[in-house]
Amino acid sequence: MKAFVAGATGETGRRIVQELRAKNIPVRALVRDIQKAKSILPDEVELVEADVLNYQSLNTALGDSTVILCATGAKPSFDPSGPYKVDYEGTKNLVDLAKTRGIEQFVLVSSLCVSQLFHPLNLFWLVLVWKKQAEEYIQKSGLSYTIVRPGGLKNEDNSDPVVMQSADTLFEGSIPRQKVARVCAEALFDQSAQNKVVEIVANANAPEKGFSELFAGVV
Ligand SMILES: NC(=O)c1ccc[n+]([C@@H]2O[C@H](COP(=O)([O-])OP(=O)(O)OC[C@H]3O[C@@H](n4cnc5c(N)ncnc54)[C@H](OP(=O)(O)O)[C@@H]3O)[C@@H](O)[C@H]2O)c1
């Protein structure tokens, strides 16, 4: 297995890289700025410069990767096309590429509440709508996938157990990015994570469960 991580210099992406390396999985990191990436990612990670909006650059960047993990996201800005481009078109490009190159598993970091049109987050240029469109594109692609929908992301890790539920059943809560990254890495190894949408938060009062049990509990 070799993992291609899109958004690898992002706050979640860099933790996904960490979790994959902790499992000894070779990583090819899609980055937009090699110099910036060198200061963020471990030395043993292959760095490839590309942009998810440029299919040709992705085609070269993918190399001999066998799985894709995508943690890209548009930065809040005044450009109304940001989420459409990055969260939809960019992910669509990765999915199209994955299909032509026989990628074995596609893990996407999406978001809670993507099915709620009137959610306040959609004030950011319909970001949830575009994420949902990207999810549906993956689901129709024929690829094996795991769509991970986290609650509000936090940089500080904690020891709260992960709560994992099926699509459109969790509407609030937060989760450390490290736990999101862990779920993404574990999804590559768990048969019961295949072709599922999993919604995740962390909750101090929830029972502690292993990842197999968590994935198996999602329909
Ligand atoms: N913030 C929350 O509470 C929350 C909650 C639920 C879900 N989410 C979603 O979770 C995901 C991860 O969030 P995060 O806050 O960890 O992300 P982040 O730190 O903002 O990182 C986003 C990454 O996307 C990359 N990117 C943006 N445009 C790109 C392009 N055209 N080509 C290639 N890479 C591109 C950025 O690259 P550069 O490093 O080069 O800028 C960066 O590495 C996002 O999809 C976000 O919407 C966030």
Side-chain angles (χ1 to χ4, degrees), residues 114-162:
V114 286
S115 305
Q116 295 190 321
L117 180 59
F118 295 107
H119 193 282
L121 277 177
N122 270 326
L123 291 173
F124 171 40
W125 313 126
L126 296 178
V127 64
L128 296 178
V129 169
W130 293 119
K131 283 184 183 299
K132 183 78 187 311
Q133 294 294 308
E135 287 190 3
E136 288 175 6
Y137 196 78
I138 292 174
Q139 290 173 300
K140 288 181 194 148
S141 69
L143 293 169
S144 284
Y145 67 86
T146 308
I147 293 167
V148 177
R149 292 181 179 171
L153 299 177
K154 299 198 297 197
N155 272 352
E156 317 70 47
D157 201 0
N158 61 36
S159 57
D160 296 350
V162 171

Side-chain angles (χ1 to χ4, degrees), residues 6-15 30-33 36 40 50-54 58 70-76 82 85-87 90 108-112 121 124 127-128 131 148-155 175 177 180:
T9 46
E11 291 291 348
T12 304
R14 67 186 68 177
R15 291 169 171 83
L30 182 170
V31 303
R32 293 195 290 182
D33 177 341
K36 172 181 163 186
I40 293 174
D51 191 306
V52 290
L53 304 180
N54 179 335
L58 286 181
C70 176
T72 55
K75 290 251 185 306
K85 286 187 192 152
V86 178
D87 295 271
L108 176 71
V109 180
S110 180
S111 175
L112 285 195
L121 277 177
F124 171 40
V127 64
L128 296 178
K131 283 184 183 299
V148 177
R149 292 181 179 171
L153 299 177
K154 299 198 297 197
N155 272 352
I175 183 164
R177 286 180 165 91
V180 177

